[in-house]
């Protein structure tokens, strides 16, 4: 199955770290923990885990399986498997929409990564020290309104991503996640430790984990299902690309469980790091992205040791952004490397610069091009909407339908080490439950 020329992960642990690093992104740091607190606490966590088991895990496994069987970029893998199983090569569209989604997402994700780098430096220079709410808001507004500063930070972030990805699977992707993921966890634990000293840790625990079944509505279940889908980097071609570097010896379902547990644990730890600080300063936990770039800097700027805590927090944020960003560039680079005469370095440079250029358009939608709109949205919001509401659900749906309905059931069950009742359960979940979940998320988001 595997090609001698195709790179492979050096170990199962390297693959787990890379897949978890891709899953742990900016959304984990603020969005998930807030959703938990606002949507029923422990009740939401249980619903979310059920959604992950029934929607996220099957699609994650399906994408890895496609990549491992195809041993090429997402588009080629879909073509290879379609032909091998007597199916239409038009299934390649599933791979194509995934790679396109990764390309488009990275263009605006890198802009936010640039904000994180900017705030890391701001923490070091004391930019937030002694600021009131208006002052901190002005810093963020000033950054968004300054195309030159945004371009510099976006460029710096993309340069880091290009440097890592250009070094290849083993030296680049593995080398980065082996350093960044442990560092991210250590920083997180230190911030949780600080949260325990604020006198508001109990309040954060109650906010996040007191089960409130009364808060659970149909909307909350849909939100849990959407989060289960988006948090695992599904529908972006990433997991197909990462799967293509996998050997036969890795148990896909067991590994998927590990990645999901790590991803969820880190997201919950983020809440336990953030919310004690938020409550200790009498701030609102429901600020969304504003929590990161306005609310928390206000808190850091007015607390003892806030400069060090702020630096640690924005380093944590930058590391999370980087591990996701390198995974977003990988499917694009793998495609160019296999479909053109370009070397790994050249493919990374061409792909990375193209992403960077689109990112310039995204960041200018906050200032110079603020009046320019596509379908009533500025460029940044249009890219976000196009990917999250259309490309990702359609790609994820295509992947699970292909594996469940177009590949030989017996061979899939054998590859996943399933037999008897387990194989039947997989068939039911992959053929009916997971697709229905994605369709529900897709329709509700429209």
């Amino acid at each position: 199955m595997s090609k001698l020329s195709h790179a492979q992960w050096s170990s199962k642990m390297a693959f787990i770290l890379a897949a978890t690093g891709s899953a742990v992104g900016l959304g984990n740091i603020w969005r998930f923990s807030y959703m938990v607190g606002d949507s029923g606490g422990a009740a939401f966590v249980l619903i979310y885990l059920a959604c992950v088991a029934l929607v996220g895990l099957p699609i994650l496994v399906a994408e890895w399986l496609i990549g491992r069987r195809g041993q090429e970029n997402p588009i080629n893998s879909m073509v290879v498997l379609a032909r091998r199983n007597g199916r239409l090569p038009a299934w390649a569209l599933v791979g194509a929409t995934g790679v396109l989604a990764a390309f488009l997402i990275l263009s605006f994700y890198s802009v936010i990564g640039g904000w994180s780098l900017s705030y890391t430096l701001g923490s070091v220079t004391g930019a937030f020290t002694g600021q009131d709410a208006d002052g901190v808001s002005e810093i963020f507004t000033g950054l968004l309104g300054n195309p030159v500063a945004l371009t510099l930070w976006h460029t710096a972030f993309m340069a880091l991503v290009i440097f890592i990805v250009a070094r290849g699977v083993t030296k680049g992707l593995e080398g980065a996640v082996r350093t960044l993921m442990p560092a991210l966890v250590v920083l997180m634990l230190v911030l949780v430790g600080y949260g325990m000293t604020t006198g508001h840790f109990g309040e954060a625990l109650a906010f996040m984990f007191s089960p409130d079944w009364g808060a659970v509505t149909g909307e909350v279940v849909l939100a849990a299902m959407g989060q289960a889908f988006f948090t695992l980097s599904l529908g972006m071609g990433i997991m197909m690309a990462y799967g293509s570097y996998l050997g036969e010896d890795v148990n896909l379902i067991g590994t998927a469980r590990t990645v999901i547990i790590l991803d969820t644990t880190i997201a919950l730890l983020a809440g336990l790091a953030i919310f004690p600080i938020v409550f200790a300063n009498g701030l609102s936990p429901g600020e969304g992205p504003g929590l990161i770039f306005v609310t928390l800097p206000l808190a850091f700027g007015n607390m003892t040791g806030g400069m060090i805590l702020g630096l640690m927090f924005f380093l944590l944020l930058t590391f999370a952004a980087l591990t996701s960003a390198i995974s977003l560039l990988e499917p694009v680079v793998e495609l160019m490397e296999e479909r053109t005469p370009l070397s790994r370095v050249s493919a990374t440079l061409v792909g990375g610069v193209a992403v960077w250029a689109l990112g310039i358009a995204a960041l200018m939608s906050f200032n110079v091009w603020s009046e320019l709109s596509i379908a009533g949205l500025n460029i940044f919001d249009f890219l976000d909407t196009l990917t999250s509401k259309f490309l990702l659900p359609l790609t994820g749906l295509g992947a699970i339908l292909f594996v469940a309905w177009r590949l030989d059931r017996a061979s899939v069950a054998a590859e996943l080490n399933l037999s008897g009742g387990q194989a039947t359960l997989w068939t039911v979940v992959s053929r009916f439950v997971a697709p229905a979940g994605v369709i529900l998320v897709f329709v509700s988001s429209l």
Side-chain angles (χ1 to χ4, degrees):
M1 184 191 293
S2 64
K3 294 179 175 181
L4 291 173
S5 61
H6 201 68
Q8 298 283 297
W9 299 107
S10 66
S11 66
K12 180 181 170 183
M13 181 48 66
F15 171 64
I16 288 172
L17 283 174
T20 306
S22 175
V24 174
L26 296 169
N28 283 63
I29 307 297
W30 67 267
R31 186 169 186 262
F32 178 68
S33 44
Y34 169 68
M35 286 172 76
V36 170
D38 201 43
S39 306
F44 178 86
V45 174
L46 290 172
I47 292 165
Y48 165 78
L49 290 173
C51 291
V52 164
L54 296 172
V55 180
L57 186 143
I59 298 173
L60 179 60
V61 169
E63 293 194 11
W64 283 347
L65 188 145
I66 289 167
R68 182 161 76 176
R69 283 197 177 186
Q71 288 287 303
E72 294 190 49
N73 65 76
I75 297 175
N76 286 11
S77 286
M78 289 300 299
V79 172
V80 166
L81 294 191
R83 285 183 176 149
R84 197 183 291 162
N85 291 272
R87 307 300 178 185
L88 292 171
W91 280 99
L93 280 170
V94 174
T97 53
V99 176
L100 176 62
F103 178 88
L104 297 177
I105 290 168
L106 183 53
S107 70
F108 65 85
Y109 196 86
S110 173
V111 175
I112 305 171
W115 299 350
S116 186
L117 276 178
S118 168
Y119 272 59
T120 304
L121 180 65
S123 300
V124 175
T125 58
F128 312 118
T129 306
Q131 293 279 5
D132 59 12
D134 290 339
V136 173
S137 292
E138 279 173 23
I139 290 172
F140 188 51
T141 308
L143 176 64
L144 293 188
N146 186 337
V148 175
L150 282 181
T151 300
L152 286 173
W153 289 116
H154 163 59
T155 304
F157 187 82
M158 273 309 298
L160 281 171
V161 174
I162 289 168
F163 172 74
I164 293 168
V165 176
R167 301 187 73 213
V169 173
T170 311
K171 287 184 180 176
L173 302 182
E174 282 190 25
V177 295
R178 282 183 190 279
T179 306
L180 292 173
M181 288 307 293
L184 186 149
V185 172
V186 169
L187 285 170
M188 188 90 75
L189 291 174
V190 171
L191 286 167
V192 171
Y194 173 80
M196 290 178 176
T197 70
T198 61
H200 291 263
F201 193 72
E203 195 179 343
L205 278 173
F207 176 69
M208 287 180 63
F209 296 113
S210 297
D212 178 10
W213 292 101
V216 176
T217 62
E219 211 168 283
V220 166
V221 174
L222 278 171
M225 208 177 289
Q227 181 69 9
F229 180 83
F230 294 121
T231 190
L232 295 173
S233 297
L234 303 176
M236 307 177 196
I238 293 170
M239 294 307 177
M240 287 188 207
Y242 276 15
S244 73
Y245 304 132
L246 261 185
E248 301 284 350
D249 55 329
V250 175
N251 181 310
L252 296 184
I253 290 181
T255 306
R257 276 196 217 107
T258 304
V259 169
I260 285 164
I261 289 167
L262 289 172
D263 177 56
T264 306
T265 302
I266 290 171
L268 292 172
L269 280 174
L272 294 176
I274 290 170
F275 291 130
I277 296 170
V278 169
F279 292 135
N281 289 274
L283 302 167
S284 165
E287 296 291 325
L291 178 72
I292 300 299
F293 295 108
V294 178
T295 306
L296 283 175
L298 175 64
F300 293 137
N302 291 281
M303 66 167 70
T304 308
M307 191 183 286
I308 293 167
L309 281 169
L311 172 62
M312 290 179 71
F313 177 77
F314 286 109
L315 268 178
L316 166 76
L317 199 66
T318 303
F319 289 170
L322 262 179
T323 56
S324 291
I326 59 176
S327 71
L328 285 163
L329 187 55
E330 183 57 33
V332 178
V333 171
E334 188 187 27
L335 175 67
M336 294 178 69
E337 205 183 357
E338 292 174 355
R339 284 258 175 142
T340 71
L342 295 174
S343 66
R344 173 81 184 190
V345 173
S346 300
T348 309
L349 278 171
V350 171
V353 169
V355 168
W356 171 85
L358 184 56
I360 297 292
L363 68 85
M364 287 177 76
S365 65
F366 293 113
N367 38 73
V368 182
W369 290 349
S370 59
E371 300 299 314
L372 186 65
S373 71
I374 306 169
L377 301 167
N378 67 28
I379 297 169
F380 188 99
D381 290 338
F382 174 76
L383 290 169
D384 184 14
T385 302
L386 174 64
T387 51
S388 65
K389 292 195 175 181
F390 295 95
L391 295 180
L392 300 192
L394 290 174
T395 305
L397 182 63
I400 192 68
L401 290 176
F402 181 75
V403 169
W405 291 94
R406 288 293 175 259
L407 295 185
D408 178 63
R409 271 174 62 182
S411 74
V412 170
E415 187 167 347
L416 300 180
N417 298 319
L418 300 173
S419 58
Q422 288 181 321
T424 304
L425 179 63
W426 166 263
T427 301
V428 171
V429 170
S430 64
R431 286 194 162 193
F432 305 105
V433 181
V438 179
I439 289 167
L440 270 174
V441 171
F442 179 57
V443 172
S444 68
S445 72
L446 296 180

